[in-house]
Amino acid sequence: LELHKGLADYTNGAMRESVRHIVGVQFRNCATVGGSIFGRYGFSDVLTMFLAMDSYVELYKGGIIPMKEFSQMKKDRDILVRIIVKKVPMHTVYLSQRNFPVLTCAVGLEEKKVRIVIGARPQKAMLIEKELESSFKFKVEEVEALAEEVQKLVPTGSNMRASAEYRSHLVKVLTKRALVQVEGDANEN
C-alpha cells in the first residue's frame, strides 16, 4: 500500500499517507491489508482509507459486500477472499491527528458525490456520504456547513489518548482541511 505506484497515483498519495505513521517500516512489512480490513478495528487507518474509496470485500461464505456494510458487521469466522476497489475517477485525501491515532479522516470525492470517513473516534470508522450540486466545487460556506454537519453526526468517545470533546473538535477541523485539500487536488487536474 505504501509503495504501490498505481495506488499512489489513483489516490494522489492519500494511500501512502494513510499508512506512513503506522509504527515503523519493519512493522508495516509484517502487517497485511486483509488483517487490517478484516479486523474492523476502530483505529484502523487502512479501513478508513478503503471506506473513502467506496470499496467492497468478497467473503468466502458471505459473497461481495460493500465495505461500508462490512465495517459495521459483527466479527465472524468467514474468510476474506479479496478487496475490490472501484476504478472510478475520484480524488482522495487522508489526514490524521497522531498519538496512535487520536482521530483519522479520509475523503473521497467523485464528480458529484463526497464520502467522508472518520475513524479512531475511538469506535469503528464512520462513513458519511453526500451528493453535491456541482462537480468538484465547494463554496467556503458549504465546506464550513458540511464540516459542522459531520461533527454533529459523528459520535466520539474518550480514552487515555483523547477526550470525546477534543475528538469532536478534530472531526470538524480535519473534515474542513480534507475537503479544501481534495477540492484543490480535483481542480488542479
Side-chain angles (χ1 to χ4, degrees):
L1 295 179
E2 188 171 18
L3 301 176
H4 192 277
K5 182 164 176 21
L7 273 174
D9 291 345
Y10 182 63
T11 64
N12 197 31
M15 183 61 75
R16 181 178 46 251
E17 179 63 23
S18 75
V19 299
R20 79 179 178 94
H21 294 290
I22 300 172
V23 186
V25 174
Q26 292 169 329
F27 181 82
R28 291 193 299 271
N29 285 340
C30 294
T32 65
V33 177
S36 296
I37 298 293
F38 196 76
R40 294 166 261 195
Y41 303 113
F43 58 82
S44 176
D45 297 277
V46 176
L47 180 59
T48 301
M49 188 63 212
F50 274 92
L51 278 165
M53 294 192 303
D54 192 23
S55 54
Y56 297 77
V57 295
E58 182 179 347
L59 302 172
Y60 181 71
K61 292 179 184 172
I64 296 175
I65 301 170
M67 188 72 72
K68 65 183 177 183
E69 289 177 25
F70 175 75
S71 67
Q72 300 304 310
M73 291 170 50
K74 289 184 179 180
K75 294 182 182 178
D76 57 18
R77 300 192 49 88
D78 207 339
I79 299 168
L80 178 62
V81 176
R82 65 181 156 163
I83 299 167
I84 302 163
V85 177
K86 287 203 264 180
K87 300 340 179 262
V88 296
M90 68 180 307
H91 300 275
T92 54
V93 168
Y94 185 87
L95 301 173
S96 65
Q97 179 66 34
R98 301 315 290 189
N99 184 6
F100 184 64
V102 170
L103 192 88
T104 60
C105 176
V107 171
L109 178 62
E110 293 178 21
E111 187 173 349
K112 289 203 169 195
K113 184 178 189 176
V114 64
R115 277 184 299 284
I116 302 164
V117 184
I118 306 295
R121 42 192 197 97
Q123 302 94 352
K124 291 180 181 178
M126 184 173 174
L127 170 66
I128 292 107
E129 295 178 291
K130 289 286 183 185
E131 297 294 326
L132 302 174
E133 292 182 19
S134 58
S135 298
F136 302 126
K137 287 280 188 194
F138 296 107
K139 294 178 184 163
V140 174
E141 58 273 8
E142 290 174 323
V143 169
E144 183 72 29
L146 188 51
E148 286 179 10
E149 182 181 351
V150 171
Q151 183 183 34
K152 289 176 186 172
L153 290 172
V154 176
T156 60
S158 297
N159 63 11
M160 63 190 271
R161 291 176 178 76
S163 68
E165 294 79 21
Y166 179 61
R167 282 189 168 103
S168 184
H169 173 74
L170 286 176
V171 167
K172 183 177 176 183
V173 170
L174 292 183
T175 299
K176 280 174 59 174
R177 287 179 186 170
L179 289 169
V180 169
Q181 186 175 334
V182 79
E183 180 190 28
D185 293 347
N187 290 311
E188 279 180 15
N189 297 329

